[in-house]
Amino acid sequence: MRALAFFTATLLGLSALVTGCTQQPGAKKTAANVTRVDAGHDAQKRAQTALINAKPGAVIEFGEGKFDFDATLSLEDVSDVTIRGQGPDKTILSFANQQQGTGGEGLRVKCPENIAIEDLAVEDAKGDAVKVQDTKKIAFRRVRTEWTGGAKETNGAYGVYPVLCSDVLIEDCVAIGASDAGIYVGQSENIIVRRNRVEKNVAGIEIENSVNADVYENTATDNTGGILVFSLPDLPKKDGRSCRVFNNTVVSNNHDNFAPKGNIVATVPPGTGMMIMANDQVELFDNKVETNKSTGLLIVSYLINQKPIKDDKYDPYCESIYIHDNKFANNGDSPAGDLGGILGKILGTPFPDIMYDGIRDEKKLVDGELPEAKRIRISNNGDAKFVNFDGGALNAAAVFANKKPNIDRELKSYEGALSALSPVSIAGVK
């Protein structure tokens, strides 16, 4: 039956493509464009058929209740579509019974432009909860993603997951239990992530290989790491820069790391409030960062992982990082993870609020220093403690050469300011 349903749905999809190509994006949403899907018998077939038949201007509206789906729901190759429910605690799309070979995601979207997903929950997907790819102007509003069985390595990697998108808005969402990141924005441009709550994920919010992002007024608590800004090698989009992280509450991110081994976030020490790795032009300000047991903020090069880099276009260093006017308190009391084990013997406890590995691109140094615009600048963070732990001396070659790290706890040489980054603007978003 499933094969027959898929065949029928595919034919309907081809038909929708043919007719959809004659319509223009920006079609007006009217009551006549709303397709209602209620819970109950055949909900999987009715929902997928509605998504396949969607034309520009369509609204796919799920009713109140719990929907038990056994395969991925997908929307493809159509613009100007809204997928909505009655609220994140009223419309629950459950994929707990998702079958092997039916797609890993809960909801998967790959459309040209202007897609909104609102007021619903996606629970217990085998893979990512909601993945949106190659789409311009995507909005997630009041979406909850959750794995209800607690923290497990087998949970899906990402909750809210736009990748290779532009003009991304994620607001008032909740993400719980992802084995990688609750909210993950990858290889995208022009991004606003605001007023979300992330908890019990490995990474609460992760901005990876992305350009122009504003991350603000979010609450990250009880994750392994609260908010991460990363750039990684071997991805189609190399560039990670221009990210502002401000007015967030990042408290008690002390959850055990339950990421699958080999995953890069499996290296994040439990108890990391915020982390910047191999990213340029990051401005962190006005954040509340408290009671994270390893440290409040970790600034590191990708080289700290001691993994080989085969991507010759990849830049593994952090440059132009500006940390100012944050409130740090009671971080670093019980450092964990490999980094905690290694550095604990060197630094003692508690660890400082702000920790920097000090690894720089030697080719860019002028008289032993980076040019002013590429430096790490840290100022006006109250009584926050700091250390440059000389991560370059923690690798195997340095240990073999009996080179001891040059620990620098003096903040003075890092004090100063960089130019403030510009706010992100998305047309139609206030």
Side-chain angles (χ1 to χ4, degrees):
M1 288 294 292
R2 189 173 299 114
L4 179 60
F6 177 79
F7 179 70
T8 304
T10 302
L11 289 178
L12 290 170
L14 290 172
S15 175
L17 279 175
V18 171
T19 56
C21 289
T22 64
Q23 302 187 46
Q24 298 301 313
K28 186 176 181 180
K29 292 178 172 57
T30 67
N33 293 336
V34 176
T35 299
R36 175 87 172 191
V37 180
D38 288 308
H41 177 69
D42 254 0
Q44 175 89 48
K45 181 179 179 180
R46 288 184 282 113
Q48 184 58 70
T49 300
L51 291 166
I52 290 172
N53 287 336
K55 296 178 174 58
V59 176
I60 311 301
E61 181 176 274
F62 289 90
E64 189 171 330
K66 186 171 183 177
F67 295 73
D68 292 312
F69 294 134
D70 61 8
T72 297
L73 296 176
S74 62
L75 176 71
E76 298 183 359
D77 301 324
V78 60
S79 296
D80 291 286
V81 174
T82 297
I83 301 171
R84 72 188 183 199
Q86 308 305 308
D89 295 320
K90 294 181 177 178
T91 298
I92 300 170
L93 312 186
S94 173
F95 293 85
N97 296 315
Q98 196 166 19
Q99 302 298 307
Q100 294 292 334
T102 59
E105 302 91 351
L107 176 60
R108 182 178 64 231
V109 174
K110 188 174 182 180
C111 292
E113 61 180 322
N114 201 21
I115 302 297
I117 302 171
E118 304 171 345
D119 294 302
L120 53 78
V122 175
E123 293 184 350
D124 299 319
K126 291 292 184 274
D128 308 312
V130 184
K131 180 179 180 180
V132 178
Q133 183 175 349
D134 293 316
T135 300
K136 179 181 180 181
K137 200 167 188 181
I138 168 67
F140 301 85
R141 300 185 180 92
R142 300 172 298 281
V143 172
R144 175 172 60 85
T145 62
E146 183 170 1
W147 283 266
T148 61
K152 297 178 182 176
E153 180 179 316
T154 54
N155 288 353
Y158 304 122
V160 176
Y161 176 23
V163 61
L164 295 167
C165 294
S166 61
D167 292 349
V168 176
L169 174 66
I170 303 173
E171 61 181 6
D172 304 309
C173 295
V174 176
I176 301 172
S179 66
D180 193 307
I183 294 175
Y184 171 94
V185 183
Q187 304 179 74
S188 296
E189 297 186 5
N190 224 37
I191 302 145
I192 295 175
V193 179
R194 63 186 182 186
R195 302 191 304 266
N196 303 287
R197 176 167 61 87
V198 289
E199 61 184 51
K200 298 180 176 61
N201 308 284
V202 174
I205 297 171
E206 187 173 339
I207 308 296
E208 184 177 289
N209 293 56
S210 292
V211 175
N212 293 338
D214 273 357
V215 180
Y216 62 94
E217 298 177 8
N218 302 284
T219 298
T221 187
D222 200 19
N223 307 284
T224 302
I227 299 176
L228 282 56
V229 183
F230 275 16
S231 288
L232 298 179
D234 305 316
L235 293 173
K237 188 174 179 60
K238 310 293 181 185
D239 204 8
R241 59 180 166 83
S242 296
C243 180
R244 303 194 310 162
V245 181
F246 58 100
N247 289 339
N248 297 285
T249 299
V250 185
V251 175
S252 301
N253 290 283
N254 300 319
H255 203 290
D256 289 342
N257 193 324
F258 57 98
K261 292 187 182 348
N263 189 324
I264 191 67
V265 295
T267 65
V268 175
T272 302
M274 298 193 287
M275 184 172 178
I276 304 169
M277 185 174 73
N279 223 88
D280 293 346
Q281 298 176 337
V282 181
E283 184 179 8
L284 268 64
F285 58 100
D286 292 335
N287 297 288
K288 176 183 176 182
V289 187
E290 296 182 353
T291 59
N292 301 285
K293 68 180 183 180
S294 287
T295 188
L297 170 62
L298 187 60
I299 306 169
V300 294
S301 162
Y302 183 82
L303 300 175
I304 198 72
N305 295 299
Q306 301 183 30
K307 293 185 176 181
I309 300 173
K310 300 178 182 177
D311 185 345
D312 59 7
K313 295 182 179 178
Y314 174 65
D315 177 3
Y317 302 98
C318 283
E319 294 172 347
S320 305
I321 309 297
Y322 186 22
I323 313 300
H324 63 96
D325 297 293
N326 299 285
K327 181 184 177 183
F328 291 91
N330 302 316
N331 298 294
D333 286 342
S334 182
D338 291 342
L339 196 65
I342 295 170
L343 285 177
K345 298 174 183 176
I346 299 170
L347 301 177
T349 56
F351 276 10
D353 299 286
I354 304 171
M355 301 178 67
Y356 171 45
D357 69 358
I359 298 176
R360 302 175 297 176
D361 187 351
E362 300 288 334
K363 297 191 296 294
K364 295 179 181 175
L365 300 184
V366 178
D367 296 329
E369 296 290 346
L370 286 168
E372 177 61 31
K374 293 186 179 297
R375 294 187 183 184
I376 310 293
R377 288 302 187 197
I378 302 170
S379 61
N380 300 323
N381 296 290
D383 297 326
K385 300 296 188 293
F386 166 81
V387 68
N388 176 341
F389 59 86
D390 191 13
L394 297 178
N395 60 53
V399 172
F400 184 75
N402 200 28
K403 180 182 178 183
K404 295 182 179 178
N406 180 23
I407 303 299
D408 180 6
R409 297 179 185 269
E410 294 297 325
L411 189 56
K412 188 173 181 179
S413 60
Y414 298 90
E415 291 177 341
L418 297 176
S419 298
L421 299 177
S422 299
V424 172
S425 176
I426 298 176
V429 176
K430 296 182 179 178

